[in-house]
Amino acid sequence: MVKAKVWILKKHFEGFPKESNFELKEVDLPELQDGDVLVEAIYFSLDPYMRSLSKMFLKEGDVQYGTQLAKVLKSKDPEFPEGCYVVADCGWRTHTVTKAKGPRGPILTRIVSEWPTDIPMSLALGSLGMPGLTALYGLEEVCKIQPGQTVLVSAAAGTVGTVVGQICKIKGCKVVGSAGGDDKVAYLKELGFDQAFNYKTVPSLEEALKNASPEGYDCYFESVGGPMFTAALKNMKPGGRIAVCGAIATYNDTTPQMCPYPHHEIIVRSLTIQGFMVTNYKEKDEESVKRLLTWMKEGKLKTKEMVTVGFDKLPIAFMKMLKGDGLGKAIVKV
Ligand SMILES: NC(=O)c1ccc[n+]([C@@H]2O[C@H](COP(=O)([O-])OP(=O)(O)OC[C@H]3O[C@@H](n4cnc5c(N)ncnc54)[C@H](OP(=O)(O)O)[C@@H]3O)[C@@H](O)[C@H]2O)c1
């Protein structure tokens, strides 16, 4: 019988997550039935949504949810033969017996067959996976960017933000990014951002945005919320578009932040503000991953990973990711 180590969400988060929110357990796995596969985790992805959507999807005592890159060890599903690699929505478990689909949609997604041997498969959790697709869909489907436009990106040194900036350059746009450290600002410039600033040290966000693009912004790729959103509204060009991707500055709040009422800016600038989920465009994923892969092979899309080793380190690495500590996509290697 195969045993799995699992991290349980012992207690719902109140404010910033703590190690005591989690508990490590060992469980026995069932024998495989028709349609089942046994997968073994290789890498875990740590993403901000695991904090923001936690109460919606989990009850105390459930396995902490999240995505992993895994290898199929045994299979009773011909679509997922032994030895193939998958992105698996199985949560924080070393081993899982699962069907390919669950009540909320696909649990297993095969890595595209054209995956080049010289590109690490862990990127299927980062720039070449869900976060990369989020960047692409936010720009193409929501902002509908055009060459020559100016795009503002917050959380720009994060996984989504770095891909947003580089796609903007591929598509002939000017791009300005905000990040929370001088090392991050330097990295954004290395990636080709036209302007970047440290939102933690500038005297005024509004002035920093004005200085970076005095003519204003056609599009804002919003991932932060709070005061950054208000400052961005005041710097949008008439008819500007805002893709609301996330609000990471608010995920650990115990009481909601009160922002200034933004109606005036939205009305006089005739802004379009649209929220979106990466899953809205699921049918485009396979083709879109191939486009991202092509850009990476051409050297137009670069990425960094911040890898922590050890299944037992998952909670610590999760908290580090939420604080924005370090540079690169947060990954845990088993
Ligand atoms: N809508 C969707 O379908 C979808 C899909 C994926 C991700 N998202 C959202 O996209 C955003 C970015 O995700 P990601 O995968 O790029 O995450 P990531 O790689 O973990 O990066 C997150 C970034 O947020 C910044 N950050 C953390 N706390 C912050 C705060 N209080 N104020 C401002 N910035 C802060 C961090 O660095 P610095 O603060 O040091 O700059 C970090 O670079 C998140 O809001 C996430 O929820 C949405």
Side-chain angles (χ1 to χ4, degrees):
M1 182 179 291
V2 180
K3 288 186 184 296
K5 283 189 199 166
V6 301
W7 276 106
I8 302 292
L9 179 75
K10 190 171 157 195
K11 193 107 193 66
H12 269 302
F13 310 123
E14 281 303 325
F16 199 86
K18 301 185 268 301
E19 277 189 72
S20 57
N21 289 114
F22 302 99
E23 185 178 16
L24 186 59
K25 284 193 172 167
E26 197 169 82
V27 296
D28 294 328
L29 296 186
E31 293 300 324
L32 267 64
Q33 306 296 316
D34 273 353
D36 282 347
V37 291
L38 168 65
V39 296
E40 180 177 61
I42 304 170
Y43 296 104
F44 288 89
S45 179
L46 298 168
D47 298 283
Y49 78 87
M50 293 159 65
R51 171 67 183 88
S52 64
L53 302 182
S54 182
K55 270 203 175 139
M56 199 184 287
F57 289 132
L58 291 182
K59 15 183 228 323
E60 290 174 355
D62 286 349
V63 173
Q64 169 61 41
Y65 71 129
T67 311
Q68 54 179 257
L69 182 96
K71 185 173 183 180
V72 173
L73 293 187
K74 285 188 189 168
S75 177
K76 292 201 172 187
D77 178 341
E79 307 230 335
F80 294 88
E82 260 176 55
C84 76
Y85 291 89
V86 290
V87 171
D89 269 322
C90 292
W92 288 6
R93 317 169 52 99
T94 55
H95 296 83
T96 311
V97 171
T98 180
K99 298 228 173 332
K101 287 202 178 84
R104 289 209 305 262
I107 296 173
L108 305 181
T109 307
R110 272 186 80 167
I111 298 294
V112 294
S113 48
E114 297 87 345
W115 199 276
T117 47
D118 56 344
I119 293 191
M121 262 191 210
S122 52
L123 298 188
L125 301 173
S127 302
L128 300 177
M130 182 279 285
L133 294 170
T134 305
L136 188 66
Y137 299 146
L139 288 175
E140 290 188 344
E141 307 292 331
V142 185
C143 288
K144 302 184 195 303
I145 53 165
Q146 299 298 323
Q149 289 188 328
T150 303
V151 181
L152 171 65
V153 192
S154 54
T159 320
V160 175
T162 51
V163 180
V164 170
Q166 292 175 89
I167 296 177
C168 285
K169 292 318 295 175
I170 291 168
K171 290 181 174 269
C173 296
K174 172 178 168 182
V175 63
V176 175
S178 68
D182 294 343
D183 55 336
K184 294 188 177 186
V185 168
Y187 178 53
L188 295 181
K189 293 197 174 145
E190 209 182 294
L191 289 179
F193 279 66
D194 296 278
Q195 298 277 340
F197 65 89
N198 182 342
Y199 71 89
K200 289 184 179 166
T201 54
V202 289
S204 149
L205 285 175
E206 227 179 296
E207 283 307 310
L209 294 182
K210 236 181 221 92
N211 293 339
S213 178
E215 68 283 6
Y217 298 89
D218 298 282
C219 301
Y220 173 36
F221 197 106
E222 153 74 323
S223 286
V224 161
M228 183 68 187
F229 183 68
T230 311
L233 285 177
K234 294 184 179 166
N235 279 280
M236 296 301 292
K237 288 186 190 172
R241 301 182 69 82
I242 300 180
V244 182
C245 170
I248 194 164
T250 69
Y251 293 168
N252 295 301
D253 291 347
T254 40
T255 47
Q257 291 179 24
M258 300 302 288
C259 67
Y261 300 108
H263 298 64
H264 180 71
E265 304 298 343
I266 298 169
I267 295 162
V268 297
R269 292 166 203 272
S270 306
L271 302 179
T272 302
I273 302 177
Q274 185 184 331
F276 74 102
M277 291 290 293
V278 61
T279 45
N280 295 355
Y281 308 99
K282 193 116 201 88
E283 73 289 350
K284 296 180 182 246
D285 282 0
E286 197 174 329
E287 181 265 332
S288 302
V289 169
K290 288 180 188 165
R291 286 168 66 204
L292 293 168
L293 259 170
T294 303
W295 285 330
M296 191 164 278
K297 281 191 282 186
E298 292 170 351
K300 294 176 181 161
L301 181 61
K302 300 196 174 74
T303 195
K304 268 193 205 301
E305 290 184 306
M306 184 172 58
V307 182
T308 306
V309 179
F311 182 77
D312 56 325
K313 301 282 193 322
L314 271 164
I316 291 170
F318 175 60
M319 291 182 273
K320 190 172 167 193
M321 176 278 299
L322 281 177
K323 280 190 197 136
D325 282 355
L327 246 181
K329 164 72 193 160
I331 293 284
V332 167
K333 185 175 186 301
V334 178

